[in-house]
Amino acid sequence: MTDDMGTSASLRMHEAWQGKVEVVSRVRLDDPETLAIAYTPGVAEPCLEISRDPEECWRYTRRGNLVAVITDV
């Protein structure tokens, strides 16, 4: 995995990638109406439901699909 200059393929790719995680909208926001439903003011409705019953967070958010990365760096 090392080239003629002593650089590993892993280092070259990590430099090129500049990270491997990307945040991309799961919702097509093609018009103002969709934007309003997905964000303000539409986001208020699920927030209110979650405030009434915190267990609703599993229904209205991605909480069940998250991973934490913990480091000491």
Side-chain angles (χ1 to χ4, degrees):
M1 282 191 10
T2 304
D3 65 17
D4 294 335
M5 295 175 21
T7 304
S8 77
S10 177
L11 287 177
R12 283 196 318 278
M13 294 310 296
H14 280 81
E15 181 180 15
W17 293 330
Q18 298 272 305
K20 298 176 288 294
V21 176
E22 180 178 30
V23 177
V24 178
S25 179
R26 294 173 38 100
V27 179
R28 288 188 59 127
L29 303 171
D30 295 330
D31 55 66
E33 182 180 357
T34 306
L35 181 65
I37 291 169
Y39 293 100
T40 302
V43 74
E45 288 188 66
C47 289
L48 292 170
E49 290 298 314
I50 293 168
S51 72
R52 284 191 273 278
D53 180 1
E55 286 298 309
E56 291 294 330
C57 71
W58 301 101
R59 179 177 179 184
Y60 294 116
T61 72
R62 299 282 292 169
R63 185 173 180 192
N65 194 34
L66 297 177
V67 175
V69 176
I70 301 169
T71 180
D72 63 352
V73 177

